[in-house]
Amino acid sequence: MYIEKVKNEMNLPETVKIFDTTLRDGEQTPGVAMTVDEKIRIAKKLDELGVNVIEAGFPVSSSGEVEAAGEILKMGLNAHICGLARPLKGDLDAAIDADVDYIHTFIGTSPLHREFKLKMSKEEILSKSVDAVEYIKDHGIIAEFSAEDSTRTELDYLKEIYNAVEDAGVDCINVPDTVGVMVPTSMNWLIRELKSELKVPISVHCHNDFGLAVANSLASVEAGADQVHATINGLGERAGNASLEEVVMALITQYDLKMNIKTEGLVNLSEFVSRITGVKMPPNKAIVGENAFAHEAGIHVHGVLAKAETYEPITPEMVGHTRRIVLGKHTGANAIKAKLKEYGIDLDKNQFDKVFNQVKALGDKGKCVTDADLRAIAESILGRAKEEIVKLEGFSVMTGNSVLPTATVKLSINGESKTAAKTGVGPVDAAINAIQRAVSETGDIELQEYNIEAITGGTNALAEVFVIMGDKEGNKATGRSTTEDIVMASVEAVLDAINKILILR
């Protein structure tokens, strides 16, 4: 909405190319190492997604990098296959021998890099840069040049070196914010300065040290940058690179730029890369995170169910995601009703109130109620006796390795309080024995079958207890209860079955 008011102040290109460096910079994520086969599989998916350039690796660094680039090239992908190289003949020859059609060459230009890493003068660095670009072009290969740490390089020198490589025939110059020190305003200013002098396309490579890689990439595009370096899931050195999925979706939906990216494949590719690298995405990761389209708060759920756009800037289907209504302490009645409608479970007001209150109680205890949990809770309440002749007023259980499990129950039977205590082989057995003693005068009802199942995994999983009770007259009834306390679930299930038998009588 408001972006339309400032678009005329931007220098937006007609389209933006995506230079994916997941296989190179992404692999430099600490602890990540990809096999040749894994690189091939990721490259295939990147090409299907529609990226323009795939940086396959750093050929001179290992034979595996050369092999990976070679195997990727054999697939005949639509994307350019790029190799990284320093402005050294050995590096450049390794990339050329790998038969890539695109070489990204780089050298540090900032005072820090010149003095402490390279120990070279400005003139030497400029000369090596020009020679490298000319060497690449002499071999008929696309050349992209990066002035490493350009955002901490003196502007006059940065312009001088970029002008020199442009004169040498470079196809694209890249501006790396190598240690992520820029903010969007300064990044925009720098790209505008360079754009005013250079004729070749400008690319940017932003790191996320201050969490600004995506913002800086977008600010660069606003200033006229034609290409963005990015990685799937924002992988990369230290805090990573600009996240491809975030950059792409912002450019398409907020800036209305036409891009050749099949966005519905983003979640699948994100999950695929996450499995291969072992780097899990936080649930609140934008676009592809598990919670990116999850809603819990009652107000939000109500809005989303009425019209998704109220709380979703894009549809989940646009990126291959799905919407989730999460049940917990903030859940409203509308969310639960919508879920129950999905399951075809129809509850009356009293039954629904019981489900609603149980979900809220579980949420207050810190539990996220899953779909399976809700269904089990609703079905157990739906199947309960309509009338409670026997009501639970309270119970306690004592157990441990030094005492015999003992339970005491207090019941209201036809309005009269009854208390009983019994032992058992465990707390559940003791509680059921105590109930049977308390109701013995009303009817001789015994447990005939007992089953328990954990609905979901974890120590806080809901327990679903199913029982069959019977009396000497041949009356039988089932009882069911679902709650996080096994003993309580057992007590409720037994009382449910007892009430059904007493109603039958």
Side-chain angles (χ1 to χ4, degrees):
M1 179 181 175
Y2 289 114
I3 194 172
E4 297 300 328
K5 298 189 178 298
V6 293
K7 262 190 178 180
N8 61 345
E9 300 171 15
M10 299 178 188
N11 187 30
L12 291 172
E14 289 186 11
T15 188
V16 175
K17 292 182 178 180
I18 296 297
F19 180 112
D20 182 273
T21 183
T22 304
L23 302 183
R24 198 276 300 170
D25 211 337
E27 193 185 26
Q28 291 174 209
T29 302
V32 170
M34 302 177 199
T35 65
V36 172
D37 181 61
E38 288 168 343
K39 283 197 169 191
I40 291 168
R41 291 158 66 199
I42 291 174
K44 186 174 186 298
K45 284 185 174 288
L46 285 169
D47 193 61
E48 290 169 355
L49 190 71
V51 303
N52 303 93
V53 183
I54 298 172
E55 192 167 40
F58 197 172
V60 78
S61 65
S62 75
S63 58
E65 294 283 270
V66 175
E67 183 186 354
E71 292 299 318
I72 290 169
L73 282 160
K74 287 179 185 176
M75 292 192 290
L77 304 180
N78 293 316
H80 290 296
I81 308 304
C82 175
L84 183 70
R86 292 167 296 183
L88 304 173
K89 190 173 184 301
D91 282 36
L92 297 168
D93 285 340
I96 292 166
D97 292 343
D99 208 26
V100 295
D101 63 348
Y102 196 119
I103 292 178
H104 174 206
T105 187
F106 71 100
I107 190 168
T109 55
S110 69
L112 283 167
H113 280 240
R114 296 195 306 262
E115 182 179 351
F116 296 102
K117 187 180 82 169
L118 300 172
K119 302 188 185 304
M120 293 169 62
S121 67
K122 289 181 178 180
E123 293 73 25
E124 289 175 301
I125 290 169
L126 189 147
S127 176
K128 280 187 173 292
S129 301
V130 168
D131 289 346
V133 169
E134 290 176 343
Y135 192 69
I136 294 167
K137 296 309 298 177
D138 285 346
H139 286 80
I141 298 171
I142 298 169
E144 180 167 334
F145 173 81
S146 285
E148 188 183 11
D149 205 21
S150 59
T151 55
R152 293 191 296 182
T153 300
E154 306 94 320
L155 182 60
D156 288 346
Y157 180 54
L158 191 62
K159 287 181 176 180
E160 182 183 359
I161 198 165
Y162 279 146
N163 276 306
V165 294
E166 181 178 63
D167 291 342
V170 79
D171 297 285
C172 179
I173 69 112
N174 183 53
V175 183
D177 186 20
T178 303
V179 290
V181 295
M182 295 293 265
V183 297
T185 307
S186 59
M187 195 73 191
N188 182 285
W189 180 87
L190 176 59
I191 299 304
R192 282 181 184 272
E193 279 288 313
L194 296 174
K195 195 78 178 175
S196 67
E197 290 210 11
L198 301 168
K199 296 181 179 64
V200 295
I202 293 179
S203 178
V204 291
H205 179 108
C206 298
H207 275 268
N208 206 39
D209 296 78
F210 289 94
L212 294 170
V214 171
N216 285 334
S217 298
L218 298 178
S220 301
V221 172
E222 289 181 9
D226 308 276
Q227 178 175 273
V228 173
H229 284 209
T231 60
I232 298 298
N233 296 337
L235 295 175
E237 291 273 9
R238 303 180 313 281
N241 290 54
S243 163
L244 181 147
E245 52 277 6
E246 294 174 27
V247 168
V248 165
M249 293 312 299
L251 290 175
I252 292 174
T253 65
Q254 304 308 301
Y255 294 86
D256 199 28
L257 291 177
K258 306 300 179 187
M259 299 180 71
N260 189 39
I261 300 293
K262 298 178 179 65
T263 60
E264 62 274 10
L266 287 170
V267 169
N268 177 274
L269 182 49
S270 167
E271 292 173 349
F272 184 74
V273 170
S274 181
R275 287 195 301 273
I276 282 179
T277 60
V279 180
K280 292 185 177 181
M281 289 299 98
N284 63 335
K285 169 75 167 65
I287 309 298
V288 296
E290 183 184 354
N291 292 349
F293 297 92
H295 309 273
E296 180 183 334
I299 295 171
H300 285 227
V301 172
H302 179 69
V304 166
L305 292 175
K307 190 169 180 63
E309 289 90 332
T310 54
Y311 286 103
E312 289 178 350
I314 58 174
T315 65
E317 294 79 13
M318 192 175 181
V319 295
H321 219 316
T322 53
R323 181 179 299 113
R324 287 193 307 123
I325 304 300
V326 180
L327 305 178
K329 66 186 294 183
H330 303 108
T331 301
N334 287 305
I336 297 176
K337 285 176 181 176
K339 283 287 186 183
L340 293 175
K341 187 177 180 181
E342 283 181 30
Y343 308 142
I345 297 175
D346 188 21
L347 304 177
D348 61 29
K349 184 179 185 307
N350 182 51
Q351 290 169 330
F352 177 79
D353 287 345
K354 288 179 179 178
V355 172
F356 181 78
N357 291 335
Q358 190 168 342
V359 169
K360 284 285 192 178
L362 289 168
D364 283 336
K365 293 175 183 177
K367 179 169 174 60
C368 180
V369 181
T370 68
D371 288 7
D373 291 335
L374 176 64
R375 190 166 189 165
I377 291 168
E379 287 176 346
S380 68
I381 288 174
L382 185 63
R384 286 184 188 173
K386 296 292 184 182
E387 184 183 347
E388 285 186 293
I389 297 169
V390 180
K391 296 179 181 178
L392 179 67
E393 292 186 336
F395 84 95
S396 62
V397 176
M398 182 172 63
T399 188
N401 59 6
S402 59
V403 296
L404 190 63
T406 305
T408 301
V409 297
K410 184 179 181 182
L411 305 177
S412 171
I413 304 174
N414 288 317
E416 183 182 348
S417 286
K418 293 274 187 180
T419 301
K422 278 290 268 182
T423 60
V425 295
V428 170
D429 187 47
I432 294 174
N433 290 341
I435 291 171
Q436 290 178 149
R437 169 174 277 190
V439 300
S440 60
E441 293 179 12
T442 307
D444 192 7
I445 303 172
E446 294 184 348
L447 178 68
Q448 295 185 352
E449 188 175 326
Y450 176 94
N451 292 288
I452 184 170
E453 182 180 350
I455 303 301
T456 47
T459 56
N460 68 341
L462 293 192
E464 182 178 45
V465 173
F466 174 82
V467 300
I468 299 176
M469 306 290 288
D471 64 11
K472 290 183 178 179
E473 297 172 22
N475 294 310
K476 286 188 178 182
T478 62
R480 187 189 302 270
S481 180
T482 304
T483 184
E484 75 279 17
D485 186 317
I486 293 171
V487 181
M488 176 58 85
S490 303
V491 168
E492 289 181 350
V494 167
L495 290 175
D496 181 38
I498 289 173
N499 276 310
K500 288 175 182 175
I501 290 175
L502 294 176
I503 291 168
L504 281 172
R505 289 178 175 179

